Amino acid sequence: MTPGINLQQTLSRTTLAVGDEPQLIYVLLEAHAEGLAQQLPKLPLNLCLVLDRSSSMRGERLMQVKDAAARIVDQLGQDDYFSLVVFNDRADVVIPAQRAIKKADLKAAIAQIEAAGGTEMAQGMALALQEVQRPFLTRGISRIILLTDGRTYGDESRCVEIARRGQSRGIGLTALGIGTEWNEDLLETMTASENSRAQYIATAQDVVKVFADEVKRLHAIFAQQVQLSVETRPGALLRSLDQVRPFIAPITIIEEAERRWVANLGDWPDTGVQGFLLEVVVPPLPVGDHAVLKLTLRYHLPGANLRDQARELMVRVSLRPAEEVTHRVDATLKHWLERLVAYRLQANAWKCAAEGRLEEASERLQMAGTRMLNAGDAALAHTLQQEATRILRNGTVSEEGRKRIRFGTRGLIGPVADDERETTT
């Protein structure tokens, strides 16, 4: 079997009651590698680490980060490129971009890193973008991994601009925040693009595994420039598209032509499942079976020298008289919808809080807690209830609680394996 991507669909309701009003359905689209994609040759990895070495990183944090960086060197092959930039009040290139061959020398350079000074991230990002563009790769994966524990001052807009410049050139960014003092708004803005994400590391002990998991995931990439096209029947409307697996993220989708939407989904590893939730308005239709959506996934498989591959899937619903229809939502889809709604509720809560509407913020956090409890995450539900109470009493939430909620509702706290978010219902 030719390697590729398998598509599966699950509808919130496969049968709708005939009526005069439009109806809302959700479509869970799940995709995974097929045809022994895992046996394709690994694509070369061009990786630049950007490490905060300000004074707040002293002690166990820096020790764990240096250990994690050294282990990354061990994970790299002879076809991979590695570079390392550190920053505090200024930025320095500790390891210029080079093949990961002289590993003892690379690890010796990592061991010399010391913590001192403040935090000015933009200088580090600028040098990282410079280094990661030095290798000439005809094919492969170029990424920047940023780790910080503090707030950068006065250069936030430049950080975003540098991240966007890299992303426009196919260079993704993984931004890791450790502790509670870093600016989650900035990291989430910097990573609001394909092949990029922000992640919360609660404790220094998690750094080594998070770094190792990220490199393992990058090495597992087999499909690149993945794009989803959605065509609707006349009268139907695609209201939203969100990623739900392996983590939750809103997806930018553009109406490229009449009744045709397109979304760029970046590069995919062959580990785990990619899951997306589509919110669709179905127009009034007569009794019978009807095609509502045509989904087309396009992608390249550089390891197999295959370009412009495509998989298609038709989404159909059945319209029946109301007395023949039962209103039961699929349990798997409901699980991911609960998590997505919790994410949206907490995002809205922070907007309410910023505008001084504390009661509304508290209500939304409580509602998000109920959703997370329904989805099987009792610990995060408890955090949401705690912070909902705190915001009413004190007018604010704790830094730790805010980060646990923002990244926990997305599934992006600490080391998270690809298969840890299986449906619990």
Side-chain angles (χ1 to χ4, degrees), residues 151-335:
R151 292 178 178 267
T152 188
Y153 293 100
D155 60 354
E156 289 90 348
S157 60
R158 187 161 174 247
C159 289
V160 175
E161 185 274 326
I162 294 168
R164 290 291 177 272
R165 204 182 329 145
Q167 289 154 347
S168 70
R169 299 169 188 172
I171 302 167
L173 171 65
T174 301
L176 307 172
I178 183 171
T180 61
E181 300 302 318
W182 50 280
N183 185 343
E184 64 266 25
D185 292 325
L186 174 60
L187 294 198
E188 287 201 322
T189 301
M190 290 171 65
T191 56
S193 179
E194 62 194 77
N195 295 328
S196 301
R197 76 172 192 279
Q199 188 167 334
Y200 172 37
I201 304 177
T203 67
Q205 291 81 5
D206 290 336
V207 172
V208 171
K209 186 167 184 355
V210 169
F211 273 38
D213 287 349
E214 182 65 5
V215 173
K216 181 180 178 182
R217 188 186 70 83
L218 293 173
H219 268 147
I221 286 174
F222 80 107
Q224 293 191 292
Q225 299 181 43
V226 182
Q227 184 184 77
L228 177 66
S229 171
V230 182
E231 297 179 55
T232 64
R233 68 171 297 119
L237 175 66
L238 176 63
R239 290 186 54 178
S240 64
L241 170 67
D242 293 270
Q243 183 172 356
V244 293
R245 295 180 72 180
F247 55 86
I248 287 176
I251 301 294
T252 300
I253 189 160
I254 299 170
E255 190 170 9
E256 191 176 67
E258 183 70 20
R259 299 188 288 109
R260 182 175 182 269
W261 283 263
V262 174
N264 294 320
L265 305 179
D267 301 340
W268 284 5
D270 62 22
T271 56
V273 175
Q274 302 286 331
F276 302 89
L277 203 58
L278 296 84
E279 187 175 2
V280 182
V281 177
V282 179
L285 295 169
V287 170
D289 296 332
H290 302 273
V292 178
L293 303 176
K294 178 184 178 182
L295 307 178
T296 305
L297 196 74
R298 295 183 173 87
Y299 53 91
H300 303 320
L301 298 178
N305 295 315
L306 296 173
R307 295 183 59 83
D308 302 317
Q309 302 297 291
R311 290 287 189 273
E312 293 183 352
L313 192 66
M314 296 298 296
V315 177
R316 300 176 179 274
V317 294
S318 177
L319 273 293
R320 295 290 182 267
E323 61 270 16
E324 298 179 14
V325 177
T326 58
H327 298 280
R328 188 176 69 176
V329 177
D330 178 87
T332 300
L333 189 147
K334 183 179 178 182
H335 170 83

Side-chain angles (χ1 to χ4, degrees), residues 96-116:
Q98 59 189 273
R99 288 187 184 275
I101 296 173
K102 298 180 180 180
K103 296 191 175 185
D105 292 346
L106 299 180
K107 289 191 277 188
I110 292 169
Q112 297 302 311
I113 299 172
E114 295 183 355

